[in-house]
Amino acid sequence: MTGSITQRIHQIQQQLPGDVRLIAVTKKVSVEAIREAYAAGIRDFGESKIQEASFKQEQLQDLSDICWHLIGHLQSNKAKKSLEQFQWIHSCDSLKLAQRLNRFAGELSCYPKICLQVKPLPDPDKSGWTISELLADLPELEQCQHLKIQGLMTILPLELSESEVLAAFESMRELAEKIAQQNWSHLQMQELSMGMSSDYQLAVQAGATMVRLGQTIFGERTT
Ligand SMILES: *Cc1c(COP(=O)(O)O)cnc(C)c1O
């Protein structure tokens, strides 16, 4: 990988279709590097841990138009805190968590944007709904009136071939289309948060609307 953070962001932006939102993933990334990405035009930033994010958010308060996205697994005891710190939660991975977020969102009078995390392929290392579990939980998700459910998110298992990756991303798009056709009044399915540094081109090909890129912008994470 070559070039500065700014150059890499510009290269990626040029490749991405205009309607795909680039989320810069800043876990283990310094506040200075985040400022550079901001100066290059990024306004969407993704963090996977509440604690690490708090520290950086405090130091970046002057950049008041940043939109923060939580992309990592959320422990239920941090659900309330997550709503105070993030406008988007991509990693809503169970009905129980959705209901808990909904309750706290009611208490805080906020309407967080939510993606439902789905595992299109079996993956014991990750949380999330299987496709059939999600379809079964839709009536209860529809009741979560304080959540602005916007679509689906996925992280694929490692070590798939290119064609398997593409097929898995396409199955996510098909799932979103299927849910959209059911005409729920409260479940929006216009967003597909999928694609990381290693696979985002395939994700975009399959219809991703948000890609979450860390290493391809900021360099390899060593720790
Ligand atoms: C770390 C992370 C990313 C970014 O991964 P890179 O390989 O650095 O692009 C995207 N999504 C999630 C959920 C992550 O945890």
Side-chain angles (χ1 to χ4, degrees), residues 25 27 48 71-72 153 155 195-198 212-216 221:
V25 174
K27 60 190 185 203
S48 46
I71 61 170
M153 179 270 214
I155 310 167
M196 309 177 27
S197 293
S198 57
R212 309 177 308 266
L213 305 185
Q215 300 184 82
T216 193
R221 275 187 302 276

Side-chain angles (χ1 to χ4, degrees), residues 64-132:
S64 57
D65 59 346
I66 288 183
C67 179
W68 290 100
H69 299 254
L70 181 67
I71 61 170
H73 177 65
L74 176 56
Q75 288 167 290
S76 62
N77 63 348
K78 295 191 178 144
K80 190 165 188 184
K81 193 134 203 317
S82 74
L83 296 177
E84 293 163 350
Q85 287 179 236
F86 292 89
Q87 287 80 53
W88 277 81
I89 296 176
H90 293 234
S91 43
C92 180
D93 55 16
S94 70
L95 179 61
K96 221 171 149 195
L97 179 60
Q99 289 170 332
R100 199 174 166 87
L101 287 168
N102 184 55
R103 194 170 74 241
F104 289 131
E107 286 176 24
L108 296 166
S109 300
C110 66
Y111 291 88
K113 294 187 168 146
I114 302 285
C115 293
L116 305 172
Q117 186 173 347
V118 175
K119 294 191 287 191
L121 296 169
D123 188 348
D125 298 334
K126 295 205 181 66
S127 46
W129 279 273
T130 65
I131 289 176
S132 60

Side-chain angles (χ1 to χ4, degrees), residues 24-215:
V25 174
T26 49
K27 60 190 185 203
K28 311 257 172 78
V29 167
S30 71
V31 168
E32 291 69 36
I34 296 176
R35 286 188 183 276
E36 184 175 346
Y38 181 92
I42 299 285
R43 293 296 178 271
D44 293 286
F45 289 90
E47 284 280 342
S48 46
K49 297 204 173 106
I50 304 270
Q51 187 93 30
E52 186 183 336
S54 316
F55 168 78
K56 294 177 197 172
Q57 287 168 338
E58 228 163 85
Q59 298 188 50
L60 294 166
Q61 274 175 22
D62 54 310
L63 309 182
S64 57
D65 59 346
I66 288 183
C67 179
W68 290 100
H69 299 254
L70 181 67
I71 61 170
H73 177 65
L74 176 56
Q75 288 167 290
S76 62
N77 63 348
K78 295 191 178 144
K80 190 165 188 184
K81 193 134 203 317
S82 74
L83 296 177
E84 293 163 350
Q85 287 179 236
F86 292 89
Q87 287 80 53
W88 277 81
I89 296 176
H90 293 234
S91 43
C92 180
D93 55 16
S94 70
L95 179 61
K96 221 171 149 195
L97 179 60
Q99 289 170 332
R100 199 174 166 87
L101 287 168
N102 184 55
R103 194 170 74 241
F104 289 131
E107 286 176 24
L108 296 166
S109 300
C110 66
Y111 291 88
K113 294 187 168 146
I114 302 285
C115 293
L116 305 172
Q117 186 173 347
V118 175
K119 294 191 287 191
L121 296 169
D123 188 348
D125 298 334
K126 295 205 181 66
S127 46
W129 279 273
T130 65
I131 289 176
S132 60
E133 286 166 352
L134 181 64
L135 291 170
D137 281 347
L138 293 176
E140 285 176 278
L141 288 165
E142 166 90 347
Q143 300 305 312
C144 293
Q145 300 277 326
H146 259 274
L147 304 184
K148 285 194 172 166
I149 294 174
Q150 302 287 291
L152 307 178
M153 179 270 214
T154 196
I155 310 167
L156 297 185
L158 300 172
E159 328 228 317
L160 300 176
S161 71
E162 231 176 69
S163 60
E164 289 167 328
V165 168
L166 186 60
F169 284 144
E170 283 173 340
S171 71
M172 291 290 295
R173 192 196 61 232
E174 285 158 15
L175 176 61
E177 286 167 357
K178 178 172 178 170
I179 296 170
Q181 279 162 12
Q182 295 176 351
N183 287 321
W184 299 94
S185 59
H186 205 68
L187 304 175
Q188 301 291 314
M189 279 292 135
Q190 73 270 29
E191 300 288 350
L192 279 175
S193 166
M194 56 189 198
M196 309 177 27
S197 293
S198 57
D199 57 13
Y200 74 96
Q201 277 117 340
L202 293 167
V204 167
Q205 200 180 320
T209 63
M210 296 192 278
V211 293
R212 309 177 308 266
L213 305 185
Q215 300 184 82

